[in-house]
Amino acid sequence: MNNRYIGRVLTGILIILFQFSASAQTRNLNIVFIGNSITYGAGLDSPTTQAPPVMASAWLKKQKHIGEVNFSNQGHSGYTTLDFLPGTDAFKQVEQAARAFTNTSAQLIFSIKIGTNDSAVKGTHGAPASVENYRTNLKTITDALLKEFPAAIVIYQHPVWYSPNTQNGSTYLQEGLTRLQTYIPVIDALAGEYKASNPEHVFVGDTKAFAYFEKNHLTDLQAEQGRQGIFYLHPNKKGAVALGEFWAKAIYKVLKKLPVK
């Protein structure tokens, strides 16, 4: 056995080991985005190609050690946490979406951003939702998801700012915006509780989009005519890209903390 032959064998072994290592580090993702009209992409020319979940998935696909990314946009205009409770049509659609992914070995992620419509003064299901009711509903949704999909990850994305004169078919105004911000500590605390009771399954995701859209609403949110004048609530095309990337970066940050399974 000559040295050249031994060299070729060793090179082949190293290539196999490298490919195995690279494959072991690559994550394939199945993501279900749960939310309201902001998640859905209301007001965009083409929600199926421009909504925040589309932008988030596109960003993730470009990242190191991320392979296949499949997603389902389960955003519904006007929906609150009550509308997503187990047994509702919306929750059943979430379940169906999670089961429909063909790559069953991929990491399943539920990205949740609910709260805008819970915070309304009136006009949405159950509004206004108290802090206690919001927490109870969010926990009920999370518990049901983790019971049915025990290997899944749940990521809570912080709610997004809207202008204090927001009033369309529902009434939000300053009262609603103030209420919305009281949900944020609840989200953070609930994730902290799961860290103790169900480690590595529930996380806080994006925390930056609220301030970003408050500062950049004239360029990144749609100017909509309401009962109190022009209001800002839904991302425009530019804003949808920004929000999608906020969500994606938060998801990627969580994934980097977790071992590849």
Side-chain angles (χ1 to χ4, degrees):
M1 187 178 293
N2 58 42
N3 290 338
R4 183 178 296 178
Y5 176 78
I6 293 173
R8 287 200 299 266
V9 171
L10 290 174
T11 299
I13 291 172
L14 288 173
I15 290 173
I16 292 172
L17 290 173
F18 175 80
Q19 291 174 337
F20 177 79
S21 176
S23 174
Q25 293 177 357
T26 299
R27 299 177 188 267
N28 297 316
L29 308 178
N30 294 332
I31 311 174
V32 180
F33 292 91
I34 300 172
N36 46 46
S37 57
I38 294 171
T39 301
Y40 168 72
L44 296 173
D45 294 333
S46 175
T48 57
T49 61
Q50 298 174 344
V54 181
M55 300 298 106
S57 299
W59 188 92
L60 285 166
K61 287 178 183 178
K62 299 176 183 177
Q63 306 313 305
K64 187 177 181 181
H65 300 313
I66 298 295
E68 181 181 323
V69 180
N70 296 295
F71 75 96
S72 175
N73 186 346
Q74 293 298 314
H76 297 273
S77 295
Y79 276 28
T80 65
T81 52
L82 278 176
D83 293 299
F84 280 103
L85 288 177
T88 61
D89 288 342
F91 189 85
K92 291 175 182 176
Q93 290 169 20
V94 167
E95 293 174 303
Q96 291 167 3
R99 295 194 201 103
F101 292 119
T102 56
N103 187 351
T104 56
S105 63
Q107 174 64 63
L108 177 60
I109 300 171
F110 294 100
S111 174
I112 302 177
K113 189 210 73 68
I114 318 175
T116 300
N117 297 309
D118 292 78
S119 73
V121 176
K122 61 180 180 179
T124 59
H125 186 196
S130 67
V131 168
E132 293 77 12
N133 287 343
Y134 179 82
R135 180 194 181 281
T136 297
N137 294 342
L138 187 58
K139 186 177 188 304
T140 300
I141 294 165
T142 305
D143 286 344
L145 291 174
L146 293 178
K147 181 178 180 180
E148 184 168 357
F149 306 99
I153 295 171
V154 175
I155 299 178
Y156 300 142
Q157 313 286 7
H158 276 194
V160 177
W161 178 90
Y162 57 77
S163 62
N165 67 329
T166 298
Q167 187 177 15
N168 45 27
S170 301
T171 301
Y172 298 85
L173 305 180
Q174 181 60 58
E175 178 184 335
L177 181 60
T178 300
R179 183 180 299 108
L180 182 67
Q181 293 172 82
T182 67
Y183 297 159
I184 293 175
V186 171
I187 291 170
D188 295 346
L190 188 57
E193 292 175 23
Y194 280 109
K195 185 176 182 180
S197 64
N198 197 345
E200 298 187 344
H201 283 280
V202 181
F203 302 88
V204 174
D206 169 66
T207 62
K208 300 177 181 179
F210 187 100
Y212 174 85
F213 284 104
E214 182 176 13
K215 181 179 179 180
N216 298 284
H217 62 277
L218 293 178
T219 58
D220 286 56
L221 296 180
Q222 299 170 41
E224 303 177 64
Q225 183 63 54
R227 298 178 184 177
Q228 301 290 331
I230 299 296
F231 69 90
Y232 298 88
L233 170 64
H234 299 102
N236 57 25
K237 186 176 179 179
K238 180 176 181 291
V241 172
L243 184 57
E245 291 189 4
F246 277 123
W247 292 351
K249 289 175 181 177
I251 291 170
Y252 191 56
K253 184 177 180 180
V254 168
L255 291 172
K256 288 195 292 185
K257 297 178 183 177
L258 302 176
V260 178
K261 299 179 181 178

